[in-house]
Amino acid sequence: MEYGQVQHQKYECLLFDLDDTLYPVSSGLAASVLKNIQAYMVEKLDIEESKIQDLSNLLYKHYGTTMAGLRAIGYDFDYDEYHSFVHGRLPYENLKPDPVLRSLLLSLPIRKVIFTNADKVHAIKALRRLGLEDCFEGIICFETLNSIHNPATSDNEDDIAFLGSTQPSLASNRSPEIFDIIGHFSKPDAAATSLPKTPVVCKPSESAIEKALKIANIDPNRTLFFEDSVRNIQSGKRVGLHTVLIGKSQRVKGADYAIESIHNLREAIPELWEGNKQAEVNYSSSGITVETSVTA
């Protein structure tokens, strides 16, 4: 009892979405992703251009991601090829090193993990451009949740925990026909419950979030979840996570906090730094060891 009663932290893990959360939507990557997805649908899947807008909206609304929706309604494609097409020509040069955010993250003596629907190539590239690749213990990404191999290991030379296998991702055989989701919802008695299921595991599915938490050994009741997506926030809240909506100043249902920018973290949630005198951060995604002192 020489040092008095030990103060236990409310949170033992910070779970961060990547895109439009750790960097602003003004970077233009989100707009480019949408453009590339629609180009893939036309060029690779031979979908009529006149249907692209309505189809994209319906798939995103009901399946969480366009990819998940495309697989659900019967389109067959290689996941790696899809990700390469969609992310391979993004304006990554718009992402600049963020020393302010880096300092904030390294000053937090709490476990930090990335949770993104994107593939690992994109996740690592974006984090490197931001100068944040060594700020996180691990990355939960598409391969983590959708690999038939051991999701807790990676043979990537830039090994980061949770990434998943680097083996080729193969989709199943082509379905005999494509489900007409546009026609389905044009009927007055259409119901979302009668839609075909997707084989893709991704946010905002509650089961996807629960799977991610299990893989990374994360206790939702002691975890703060940072997201720019309202529906991902709401799904996270339903599985027990504490939630922070990024990019908004007004809280919505399911959000415990709402902050305009991740840079406002210290002002918005100062208790993250309270009660901590010193911490060592030893994340080694790029073989880098960082030690930092924190003064409450």
Side-chain angles (χ1 to χ4, degrees), residues 197-236:
K197 303 297 184 183
T198 181
V200 175
V201 182
C202 63
K203 295 180 288 185
S205 163
E206 291 175 38
S207 61
I209 298 175
E210 289 171 341
K211 182 177 180 179
L213 297 177
K214 182 178 180 181
I215 288 171
N217 192 27
I218 292 172
D219 177 2
N221 298 310
R222 299 196 64 194
T223 298
L224 203 53
F225 181 39
F226 298 81
E227 260 280 359
D228 67 291
S229 165
V230 171
R231 60 181 178 172
N232 291 353
I233 282 285
Q234 293 172 342
S235 293

Side-chain angles (χ1 to χ4, degrees), residues 33-143:
V33 165
L34 177 59
K35 179 181 177 181
N36 293 344
I37 288 174
Q38 295 181 347
Y40 185 89
M41 293 166 70
V42 173
E43 296 176 27
K44 301 295 184 179
L45 303 180
D46 298 321
I47 299 174
E48 293 180 28
E49 194 163 356
S50 60
K51 296 181 178 180
I52 293 296
Q53 190 64 52
D54 289 341
L55 182 58
S56 296
N57 292 339
L58 284 171
L59 296 181
Y60 184 78
K61 177 181 179 180
H62 292 285
Y63 290 100
T65 68
T66 307
M67 171 199 264
L70 288 169
R71 289 288 289 117
I73 65 175
Y75 286 99
D76 178 38
F77 47 86
D78 179 85
Y79 296 145
D80 292 336
E81 178 192 55
Y82 177 93
H83 284 130
S84 178
F85 188 101
V86 170
H87 295 139
R89 31 189 178 173
L90 293 181
Y92 286 106
E93 65 276 8
N94 292 352
L95 298 182
K96 308 297 183 184
D98 191 338
V100 173
L101 179 54
R102 176 181 172 81
S103 178
L104 276 174
L105 293 172
L106 293 181
S107 72
L108 281 165
I110 307 174
R111 187 182 182 206
K112 294 176 281 291
V113 173
I114 293 289
F115 181 19
T116 176
N117 280 337
D119 65 307
K120 62 189 172 187
V121 172
H122 168 73
I124 292 174
K125 187 177 293 186
L127 288 171
R128 281 179 172 168
R129 296 289 304 192
L130 293 167
L132 305 177
E133 69 271 21
D134 59 335
C135 293
F136 302 92
E137 173 188 308
I139 298 174
I140 302 167
C141 58
F142 177 85
E143 289 88 349

Side-chain angles (χ1 to χ4, degrees), residues 264-281:
N264 303 131
L265 184 55
R266 188 185 288 271
E267 292 79 13
I269 318 177
E271 58 265 34
L272 289 175
W273 283 266
E274 293 172 1
N276 296 294
K277 299 300 181 183
Q278 188 170 3
E280 290 187 358
V281 181

Side-chain angles (χ1 to χ4, degrees), residues 248-266:
K248 306 288 183 182
S249 57
Q250 298 296 319
R251 289 195 299 125
V252 299
K253 181 180 179 181
D256 295 307
Y257 302 90
I259 57 179
E260 285 283 357
S261 167
I262 195 71
H263 290 144
N264 303 131
L265 184 55
R266 188 185 288 271

